[in-house]
Amino acid sequence: LARGDRARFGAYFNGEVASTKENVSQMTEQTLERSDLGVTPLIPEEFAARYRQAGYWIDQTIPEFLLDACRAKPHFPALVALSHAHLQDGKPQQVRYSYAELEAAGRAAAARIAAAGVQPGDRVLLQLGNTAEYLIYLMGIFWAGALPVFCLPQHRTSELTHFAARADAAAHVYSSRTPGTDFTALHQDVSKQLQAEGLNPPVGIDTAEPLVPLSDEQLAEPFVPAVIQNTDSPRASEQVAFLQLSGGTTGVSKLIPRTHAAYLYSVRGSADICNLTCNTTMLVALPAAHNFTMSSPGILGAMCVQAKMVFAADPSPQTAFALIESEGVTFTALVPPLAQAWVASAEKRGVQLPSLSVLQVGGAKLAATVAGKIESVLGVQVQQVFGMAEGLVNYTRAGDSPRIRLHTQGRPISDDDEILIVDDNDQPVAPGEVGHLLTRGPYTIRGYYREENANTYSFTDEGYYRTGDLVRLVDGKYLEVVGRAKDQINRNGEKIAVDEIEELALAHPDVLDAVALGLPDEAVGERVCLVLVPQEGASLGQNPRRTMHEYFTQKKLAAFKIPERVEVLKELPTTNVGKISRRELRARLVEMLTE
Ligand code: OOB
């Protein structure tokens, strides 16, 4: 099937499997075979029925949600952000949109995306910073009936080629005015790479080119967002809406298929827990593409209640404090290292942020001491958020005691979020003991997109997701994250799979063995450190860090993943069963660093 046909026929992008009524109903009525999970990660019907019954899953798609959001209070302020399509003295200009204006811009973006050849059901790589175009094109992609794939602005050819190939992307949305990187060249490089692999390159859509505004007549016409024309499919709201990126532990990030109904349930639940209203002014300081920023409660949570969103071009205290003051920001979210930087800056400069009432912190473990300082120095209430792009999100609540607020990472959104804390043999640990967190629930996925192998070990037979986090239960329902069992580095809340770095390092001709580790760091939480054993007789030069930096840059890897510290050893420490001991290695390096 051609790309367009496949999209039209396949409820879950696999026309081959899902194109007949029998197949679709079979798929929804029983647990899928493992082999199908990679392509069609469905929730078994008995669970789906329960989630509908409980009112969690309502029959609304994200495109419908977005349209309703714009029309509920059309004259309310929706967005303040820099625009790459509106310049002032050659620089991005600050623009303001009401909800009605946002609808008009989103519809113009949808028209542009459709005119570029994107069809309902197609996947579109969205790769923008926190600009007005981010939200406008996000809406445009949904309203064109397509599925966004949330890339980060830092991603380079290595990552983008993988996502484009895996998702069979029809378009790549970027801005040629993003400072510091030539995105037109990046787009061309990705296209060239895909063509070399015999794949169709995505069409490029440059958001720095101004949109053609719709005429008053066009705006007055009834507008119905495009949908996949698939009469055989089950509820549109229970189909996949977009692909989010996983942090990954094995190789390059996996794609996370999130469905409309399940995702919107988490959005409504989050907006409710966080007490968002149309009087909220939310500062969007973290990268917009993150699941945290998108839905916890984030951009979609703000839209859910017609709050005002203010996009910060960067999350530095300088930029953010000025916006908080000028726009009267009441609510925002950060990762722990940034929260710490805000506290330090506010302390030093004697800054007060009187309008701000809640600072959410998540994406990595927040130290209780820092949590306390956020409250005492910034004069705001801290809200811890422990979530994952695969689903489950936990929050501390406004009424929680300081002990809970400062020392735990909260409790789940839903009463139907199932939590298991188990030992290495999947046996439940005693209450209060540390164990592996497994979870299943109304908005947690049952499998990654087209990852049959990974799905067999990332999910249990009962459909629980193995989070890779080590947690313990506090007061019977709160979770405290105490560590991590997965091989991942958490740098500024960005997740890096050690595997991806090690595999690339091993491909270097002078490298015999390689281990990537996260080393604790004040400024970013953890830094990527690479320990290398050179091939016999080979050397990695006078400055191995520089050698490897050049090598990884040449491999076109996102800069945040490139090791910031490289150590060369003659051999790696091993455990008594002969495996490389990461623990021992980490201890040795920490010791070296503090010497
Ligand atoms: C969020 O999502 P991801 O997919 O980038 O990363 C998920 C992982 C978790 O499994 C955990 O290892 C870590 O990030 N994490 C935390 C944490 N929040 C996330 N570890 C300790 N304490 C926390 N508060 O990071 C994400 C998604 C939605 C909302 C918030 C964060």
Side-chain angles (χ1 to χ4, degrees), residues 260-287:
H260 300 269
Y263 201 65
L264 288 175
Y265 166 55
S266 79
V267 168
R268 290 190 309 271
S270 298
D272 189 42
I273 288 166
C274 299
N275 302 310
L276 299 191
T277 71
C278 62
N279 297 318
T280 301
T281 296
M282 177 186 288
L283 183 73
V284 176
L286 291 176

Side-chain angles (χ1 to χ4, degrees), residues 247 291-292 296 361-365 385-390 393 409 467 469 481 484 486 488 490 493 495:
N291 191 58
F292 185 9
S296 305
V361 185
K365 176 71 183 269
V385 189
F386 163 42
M388 51 213 69
E390 285 81 356
V393 183
Q409 280 60 59
T467 67
D469 294 311
V481 182
R484 195 170 56 208
K486 54 190 167 190
Q488 197 178 65
N490 190 334
K495 314 306 183 311

Side-chain angles (χ1 to χ4, degrees), residues 432-450:
E433 293 295 308
V434 174
H436 301 275
L437 172 65
L438 312 185
T439 186
R440 184 170 79 170
Y443 57 97
T444 296
I445 59 160
R446 295 288 184 126
Y448 292 108
Y449 180 54
R450 292 187 174 159

